[in-house]
Amino acid sequence: MNEPATTELPVIVIGAGPAGLAAAAHLTERGIEPLVLEAGDSAGAAVREWSHVRLFSTWGEVVDPAAEKLLAAAGWRRPDLATYPSGGDWADLYLQPLADALGDRVRTGATVTGVSRAGRDRIVDADREAQPFVVHVAYAGGREERLFARAVIDASGTWATPSPAGGSGLPALGERGATDRITYRVPDLKDPSVRARYAGKRTAVIGSGASAFTALAYLADLAKSDDGAGTKGVWVLRRGISGSSFGGGKADQLPARGALGLTAKAAVDEGHADAVTGFRTEAIERADDGRLVLVGEDGRRLDAVDEVIVLTGFRPDLSFLDELRLALDERLQSPVELAPLIDPNQHSCGTVYPHGHRELSHPEQGVYLVGMKSYGRAPTFLAMTGYEQVRSVAAAIAGDLESADRVELTLPETGVCGGAGLFDAPDAAEADGGCCAPTPQLVQLGAPAAVGAAAEQNQAGGCCGS
């Protein structure tokens, strides 16, 4: 089969989530035909999996301008921009209508299994840039297809690849065999069957970001309800407790995000959760009664828990991009030019510098990782960042470098400076000269600081990730 001329081909966008659909809207606005391939059975499939969680950004911060223009032409009525949508609201009231407006440009049930240059594996130099991209797609029922593209925008996110409980970045010993009692998502406690799983139970929450805060708050609400007596959370952190452990609080310019951290703090202060600090999980063992025992790298063993909620962040799936020449940071697995701008050791959501197509480019010209996937393992991503990314990328693909280079973005400050590596050191949380807030002060917690063993001094956190 002869490949068509590159200029006649669409831009293939991987993922029909917020960034992917926004990319399609910007491309359409510039007269470039997009083809969005979504592995799920509907637009925003990943968002729908956390439909019960409310965003800490308002509607005004999670609607892309080009997408809104496309929706308005279809008669869409935007929600109150000052209110906070849930994941379900975002998917039902914005993402699905946007996919409907894009029509046949969006295909669901289409899993991208590989991307390369037509007739060129990653080794071959000859005439490489002149070849179109070839994208292999698998559909439900086993059908496969080969598609060609002038450029590829990977907006597939990181939702499908959560990080494990193990403190070394690897699954803890025994973690894979304990999946019947482990989840890597914030549980929906409004679902009766899920609620019954946690009601009256002892649950470990591993993680230190917004998702962990949410899980702690949900468990505390359950503990205070009529059917939740005896519910107890065990908050497992890899670092010590400091003033920044609960987020930016009142200093956060996203008020809902700050309030979330304060709610988690209240869960600990009121005794609905105990905090175990300086604990890096090395193994998860099965007790005689079937419950789980977390074992730390320092030999500590926590009292048995009924359930474990692992919320240690996400990492990108790069397997289907293996034939492309990507320049990725060795730590974050983000584009190498972007990595210094988003490093969670230095930056919160609000201190990330504006960036666009140049920071997102790779040696393989014409391929871009955008949205949450562009951040690799960094947890500091906001939707409005992704919208500005795809605006710049679409302009670059259209050849409008003046617009593509004019990247302007003002992000709300978080009041949190710490990420994974910096705050892992016992004294680092108290270092002078933070990036965005006063030096954190140690806080006194009303609940016991240790469970089952002595507590000492968490894990990769961040202001916006899990």
Side-chain angles (χ1 to χ4, degrees):
M1 173 181 174
N2 294 323
E3 296 86 13
T6 301
T7 54
E8 301 173 0
L9 296 172
V11 173
I12 286 184
V13 180
I14 305 173
L21 292 175
H26 282 277
L27 290 167
T28 301
E29 188 175 54
R30 289 185 168 274
I32 299 173
E33 192 66 14
L35 176 58
V36 183
L37 302 175
E38 166 59 46
D41 58 8
S42 64
V47 174
R48 293 180 188 279
E49 291 193 29
W50 49 271
S51 60
H52 57 290
V53 178
R54 191 161 300 281
L55 282 73
F56 46 61
S57 297
T58 64
W59 271 113
E61 294 160 335
V62 298
V63 173
D64 174 78
E68 185 170 4
K69 291 179 185 177
L70 190 63
L71 284 164
W76 182 70
R77 297 183 63 181
R78 67 182 187 180
D80 182 347
L81 297 185
T83 59
Y84 294 89
S86 66
D89 295 334
W90 204 16
D92 290 338
L93 303 181
Y94 170 65
L95 297 177
Q96 189 59 56
L98 180 53
D100 293 341
L102 288 164
D104 292 341
R105 300 182 181 97
V106 179
R107 295 185 189 176
T108 57
T111 300
V112 173
T113 59
V115 182
S116 186
R117 289 281 187 178
R120 306 290 187 274
D121 63 23
R122 66 185 297 163
I123 299 175
V124 179
D125 291 333
D127 204 28
R128 186 178 189 86
E129 299 297 336
Q131 305 306 312
F133 290 96
V134 59
V135 179
H136 284 202
V137 187
Y139 297 94
R143 183 173 72 88
E144 294 182 294
E145 185 177 15
R146 184 172 69 153
L147 302 172
F148 296 97
R150 61 186 287 186
V152 174
I153 299 175
D154 183 357
S156 59
T158 57
W159 178 255
T161 47
S163 295
S168 300
L170 302 172
L173 300 178
E175 182 172 348
R176 292 189 178 96
T179 54
D180 59 318
R181 290 179 180 261
I182 299 177
T183 183
Y184 298 85
R185 307 286 188 253
V186 176
D188 181 4
L189 298 186
K190 294 182 180 179
D191 182 317
S193 62
V194 176
R195 190 177 183 87
R197 176 175 175 175
Y198 295 94
K201 304 292 179 60
R202 181 180 174 83
T203 299
V205 178
I206 306 176
S208 64
S211 294
F213 294 166
T214 302
L216 290 167
Y218 283 5
L219 290 172
D221 285 344
L222 179 57
K224 291 181 279 189
S225 67
D226 292 339
D227 61 339
T231 303
K232 186 76 172 184
V234 181
W235 189 22
V236 181
L237 300 108
R238 295 176 185 166
R239 63 174 179 252
I241 292 286
S242 75
S244 68
S245 296
F246 299 97
K250 295 180 180 179
D252 198 321
Q253 291 181 18
L254 285 177
R257 182 174 57 194
L260 181 59
L262 294 177
T263 301
K265 183 179 184 301
V268 176
D269 287 343
E270 294 169 4
H272 299 302
D274 296 333
V276 180
T277 59
F279 191 94
R280 295 177 175 276
T281 307
E282 181 179 74
I284 299 177
E285 299 179 355
R286 186 85 64 166
D288 291 341
D289 61 1
R291 297 195 297 165
L292 302 180
V293 175
L294 303 186
V295 182
E297 292 179 354
D298 58 2
R300 281 186 289 165
R301 301 172 63 88
L302 304 187
D303 290 343
V305 296
D306 299 284
E307 300 287 342
V308 177
I309 303 173
V310 180
L311 301 169
T312 53
F314 296 85
R315 53 188 59 180
D317 177 9
L318 302 167
S319 60
F320 60 89
L321 304 177
D322 195 47
E323 291 303 318
L324 298 176
R325 298 175 177 180
L326 304 180
L328 299 173
D329 180 73
E330 68 274 10
R331 295 175 304 143
L332 299 183
Q333 296 179 293
S334 67
V336 67
E337 296 296 327
L338 176 61
L341 308 182
I342 63 172
D343 186 347
N345 294 292
Q346 304 294 330
H347 295 287
S348 70
C349 305
T351 63
V352 171
Y353 294 102
H355 58 274
H357 74 108
R358 295 194 184 276
E359 292 82 6
L360 299 170
S361 295
H362 295 275
E364 195 79 71
Q365 296 181 23
V367 61
Y368 302 92
L369 277 59
V370 302
M372 189 67 225
K373 189 160 187 177
S374 72
Y375 272 44
R377 298 192 183 201
T380 49
F381 182 78
L382 287 173
M384 61 185 80
T385 304
Y387 294 157
E388 182 61 8
Q389 286 180 342
V390 298
R391 184 205 63 78
S392 174
V393 166
I397 293 173
D400 185 357
L401 294 184
E402 180 180 356
S403 177
D405 289 336
R406 193 175 59 249
V407 181
E408 299 177 358
L409 182 64
T410 301
L411 294 172
E413 185 54 82
T414 176
V416 181
C417 303
L422 178 65
F423 279 9
D424 281 346
D427 299 326
E430 299 178 81
D432 291 333
C435 61
C436 47
T439 303
Q441 301 298 313
L442 292 178
V443 295
Q444 297 298 318
L445 300 180
V451 182
E456 300 166 9
Q457 308 256 131
N458 152 54
Q459 114 68 3
C463 54
C464 318
S466 48

